Amino acid sequence: MSSAPRQLTRSRDQRIVSGLCGGLAEYLNMDPTLVRVVFAAITVLTGVWLGLLAYLVGHFVIPEAPLDADRIAPFEPTDPLGTPAQHPADTRLRNPDDLR
């Protein structure tokens, strides 16, 4: 009855650079903004190079979260205004009277 152990991964949803702070926040059940602020403060207070090195190591060592097929919306092409593009075979809007 034991569930699979949680794994620290880089987040796909809470991502600004590589998802490292977002993944850590998801793992710790914390607000991602709080984790980012704490990481930035620690980086500045201990020397910028140490924080950058830790971030780079984390980026390459911690795996990215797997794609969740249930959360991925199907691709829908859009026109430059962001509205769904009409497929050439779609004849519903071909009559100009339909637009009035």
Side-chain angles (χ1 to χ4, degrees):
M1 287 188 26
S2 66
S3 63
R6 292 183 0 191
Q7 182 181 5
L8 177 61
T9 58
R10 292 185 288 124
S11 177
R12 289 184 180 270
D13 299 329
Q14 299 295 330
R15 169 177 292 204
I16 290 185
V17 178
S18 72
L20 189 65
C21 291
L24 184 60
E26 289 173 358
Y27 185 78
L28 298 173
N29 291 324
M30 294 177 65
D31 181 26
T33 304
L34 179 64
V35 173
R36 290 181 186 108
V37 168
V38 169
F39 183 80
I42 291 172
T43 299
V44 169
L45 294 174
T46 62
V48 176
W49 293 111
L50 182 63
L52 288 176
L53 181 65
Y55 197 89
L56 285 173
V57 168
H59 173 76
F60 289 109
V61 171
I62 299 173
E64 191 167 27
L67 285 174
D68 201 3
D70 295 336
R71 294 173 40 191
I72 299 174
F75 174 73
E76 184 175 323
T78 58
D79 66 5
L81 297 177
T83 55
Q86 294 295 317
H87 189 274
D90 191 0
T91 58
R92 289 178 291 174
L93 296 179
R94 293 205 177 177
N95 185 352
D97 294 333
D98 291 342
L99 298 174
R100 293 185 193 152

